[in-house]
Amino acid sequence: RAEVTEAQIFRCFTSKGDLFRTAIFAPLNRHFTDHQARRTGAEDAVPTRQGAREFIAELQDFIGEHSGMLMSLAVAKAYAQDPTEGGAGLDGLTTYFERGAGMMRSRVKGEPTVAPELMVRVSFAAVLGCVLFSDWLFPPGVASAAEFREATLGFMLDGLNANNDYI
């Protein structure tokens, strides 16, 4: 689509991996940063179950909208020669995890049952898996899209309550 030759591409990128990181990581980081900017302060404005529902619903939408890039990361991870390679270049995701853990930690009464740093990652992974693999996990007839979305929201909210009635 860029109407350039392969030689021109490799003048700008030293490897296919470098091209992949530029094509996937840069836009995905930008999307994460934009998503977080829209959410800044929203968690504090509505620190209730409804606020959490809105946050998780927006995460479902975000993952759905960027599923192609996220699936590309999953495939790249599966074939990476270095098992530690993967999402390490996604600064936006790292910031998302840090902010989420900080938000959870600030709202937990006493010592959390589950470390907020772990809870936010597990929660993200659950939503990511449900959205990316919804067609595999929920074939036609199991549930409507709205029922699937509501079931995921309910599961996430009740799971978050593992930390001393977080919500």
Side-chain angles (χ1 to χ4, degrees), residues 130-150:
C130 284
V131 173
L132 287 185
F133 302 110
S134 63
D135 57 335
W136 296 1
L137 298 170
F138 305 97
V142 171
S144 68
E147 291 169 326
F148 163 71
R149 184 177 178 94
E150 190 59 34

Side-chain angles (χ1 to χ4, degrees), residues 7-163:
Q8 289 172 310
I9 292 172
F10 284 105
R11 282 192 197 120
C12 296
F13 304 99
T14 58
S15 68
K16 288 180 182 178
D18 187 27
L19 173 60
F20 176 80
R21 280 185 290 284
T22 300
I24 299 297
F25 282 42
L28 199 51
N29 267 325
R30 196 170 41 256
H31 293 305
F32 267 117
T33 301
D34 292 347
H35 175 71
Q36 289 179 53
R38 286 190 305 274
R39 290 294 310 165
T40 299
E43 298 90 353
D44 297 327
V46 190
T48 62
R49 188 172 179 92
Q50 182 58 34
R53 283 181 67 79
E54 292 169 8
F55 182 83
I56 294 165
E58 286 183 18
L59 179 59
Q60 287 175 310
D61 293 341
F62 176 85
I63 290 172
E65 290 167 16
H66 302 93
S67 61
M69 285 189 278
L70 291 162
M71 189 61 82
S72 294
L73 286 176
V75 171
K77 175 73 173 158
Y79 292 100
Q81 290 182 1
D82 178 2
T84 61
E85 199 176 291
L90 286 173
D91 299 328
L93 183 57
T94 301
T95 301
Y96 171 88
F97 289 149
E98 290 168 354
R99 273 189 69 219
M103 181 181 69
M104 284 182 178
R105 189 167 296 287
S106 73
R107 294 183 180 162
V108 172
K109 301 168 191 158
E111 192 59 32
T113 305
V114 179
E117 295 78 11
L118 178 60
M119 179 76 75
V120 72
R121 289 171 182 268
V122 169
S123 299
F124 180 86
V127 174
L128 178 71
C130 284
V131 173
L132 287 185
F133 302 110
S134 63
D135 57 335
W136 296 1
L137 298 170
F138 305 97
V142 171
S144 68
E147 291 169 326
F148 163 71
R149 184 177 178 94
E150 190 59 34
T152 303
L153 279 164
F155 174 80
M156 296 306 301
L157 290 169
D158 293 337
L160 292 175
N161 275 326
N163 278 338

